[in-house]
Amino acid sequence: MKKIYDYICDAAVVIGCCVGVGFLCGKEAQVFFGNAVNVAVFAVVFFAVNVIFREYCRKKRCSSLSQLSVNVFTKFAWIFDLALTTCCFVCIVTMLAGAEQCLGSVLPVSSVIPLYGLVTSVIAAAVLSKGMKALKIANVISITLAVALIVTLLCINTEKSGFSQIKVPPYKPAAYALFSVTMSFGVTTQLGAESDLKRNLITSATAAAVLSALMLLIIYLSDFSLNLPAIENIKNPYVLALSVVTITLSAVTGIVANAMPIVEQMRDFIPDHSLCCILTFGSALAFSLFGFDFAVNFGYVLVGVIGAIVIIAAVARQFCERRRKSA
């Protein structure tokens, strides 16, 4: 029973890191998927890359981004350590920008500061201070609320006659899969290092299946003529309340997963945990003012490219090591 519980928590962390603001509001469906066929491309790439990465961490005992950088890039580790930290920071900026735009659209307020981003940062800092256990609990709650929101939207959109379809090239869902894996590096390094092959396969397959099923539902619910295709037309006040809570918590879980490695590295120079959080979230809030659309279109591609470089370098290094041993 404990093993099943561990598998569920493991998969929930991975899923929770991926089901963020852009996922729930339909923006990612609009930019990276567009139709149901591309979901299959995402599922295959996400599963394969996630297994490869987790297995590398397991075999090399890389339980942190710093250990991963040293193991894969040796003397150039500092360059890619910085690149991976940048990926995490870009993801935090994206989540904050998404929370500000999405929550502002469903519950408008007049404010000269990114109020929703600030509130999300404070909640994220509180969860971050409690560590991985708090993140796992928050992820389970976040996924439950996300499913509840999607089911509720399905029930109230009874006039929907079929899937919205727009043309999106198949490399985009593949790039999104790389982004999704990369943005969870901060937690999957630790999870992969602590797992075995069976657990890595099962949790990767479970995460790919659940994410694909949820994305299919989001595509079905979306009106791609809108800026926020899945949630922009919500009128029911109770559904609005549910969407606000769900989007906030989904942003929090994604932010915490990416803030963990940044704060961990900053504490080598600044021992005060609270100050590290303030510096991380304060600077991320400033960059989030560039807007959600910019963060999605530019940030996701940047993160995906860096993640692809890490995966390719890890595979190449393992291949070279096997060649040397066999020789």
Side-chain angles (χ1 to χ4, degrees):
M1 183 61 72
K2 185 180 184 302
K3 184 176 288 189
I4 295 174
Y5 174 79
D6 289 340
Y7 284 13
I8 292 172
C9 288
D10 191 329
V13 169
V14 177
I15 296 165
C17 290
C18 299
V19 180
V21 178
F23 192 105
L24 291 172
C25 74
K27 175 62 72 175
E28 292 169 2
Q30 184 181 51
V31 175
F32 295 99
F33 290 87
N35 55 72
V37 175
N38 280 341
V39 176
V41 177
F42 162 79
V44 171
V45 176
F46 180 86
F47 170 74
V49 174
N50 208 47
V51 170
I52 291 169
F53 178 75
R54 289 173 65 109
E55 277 297 286
Y56 186 87
C57 292
R58 178 180 71 85
K59 292 175 181 178
K60 300 298 181 181
R61 294 300 175 198
C62 300
S63 58
S64 68
L65 289 183
S66 297
Q67 291 176 354
L68 176 68
S69 296
V70 171
N71 196 280
V72 176
F73 302 109
T74 58
K75 61 182 180 180
F76 299 107
W78 67 273
I79 298 176
F80 288 93
D81 202 26
L82 179 61
L84 291 171
T85 302
T86 302
C87 284
C88 293
F89 184 77
V90 168
C91 292
I92 295 173
V93 171
T94 303
M95 294 289 180
L96 291 175
E100 185 65 30
Q101 180 174 328
C102 293
L103 296 177
S105 70
V106 299
L107 197 66
V109 293
S110 178
S111 176
V112 295
I113 62 171
L115 182 62
Y116 288 118
L118 181 61
V119 172
T120 303
S121 295
V122 172
I123 299 172
V127 175
L128 180 62
S129 67
K130 301 299 181 180
M132 181 63 79
K133 184 176 180 180
L135 177 59
K136 287 182 177 181
I137 294 171
N139 270 300
V140 172
I141 298 172
S142 175
I143 295 166
T144 303
L145 288 175
V147 172
L149 176 62
I150 291 171
V151 171
T152 302
L153 292 175
L154 284 169
C155 292
I156 65 175
N157 284 280
T158 53
E159 72 279 2
K160 239 327 196 164
S161 58
F163 282 94
S164 300
Q165 300 283 332
I166 56 174
K167 285 188 176 181
V168 175
Y171 75 83
K172 282 203 167 185
Y176 179 78
L178 283 167
F179 163 79
S180 299
V181 174
T182 306
M183 71 175 289
S184 58
F185 272 0
V187 293
T188 50
T189 44
Q190 181 178 336
L191 293 171
E194 295 172 351
S195 301
D196 53 34
L197 174 59
K198 181 180 178 182
R199 178 170 166 179
N200 283 335
L201 287 169
I202 290 175
T203 53
S204 296
T206 302
V210 172
L211 288 170
S212 298
L214 292 176
M215 180 53 70
L216 283 172
L217 293 174
I218 291 293
I219 292 173
Y220 177 80
L221 289 167
S222 293
D223 177 355
F224 290 133
S225 65
L226 302 175
N227 191 40
L228 301 174
I231 65 169
E232 197 163 307
N233 283 334
I234 298 176
K235 304 299 181 185
N236 187 296
Y238 299 106
V239 181
L240 278 175
L242 175 61
S243 67
V244 167
V245 174
T246 304
I247 288 170
T248 302
L249 190 55
S250 68
V252 166
T253 54
I255 290 168
V256 173
N258 286 282
M260 273 184 173
I262 295 178
V263 171
E264 180 184 333
Q265 290 178 351
M266 288 181 67
R267 290 188 69 178
D268 292 337
F269 309 96
I270 306 174
D272 191 319
H273 182 273
S274 298
L275 181 57
C276 290
C277 288
I278 291 171
L279 291 173
T280 300
F281 294 138
S283 54
L285 272 171
F287 277 98
S288 72
L289 296 176
F290 283 101
F292 189 38
D293 288 350
F294 175 80
V296 169
N297 286 286
F298 173 74
Y300 282 34
V301 175
L302 174 65
V303 172
V305 168
I306 293 175
I309 292 172
V310 174
I311 297 294
I312 292 169
V315 171
R317 183 170 182 80
Q318 198 161 24
F319 177 76
C320 291
E321 288 177 356
R322 286 184 178 178
R323 291 259 330 224
R324 283 198 299 267
K325 287 180 180 178
S326 62

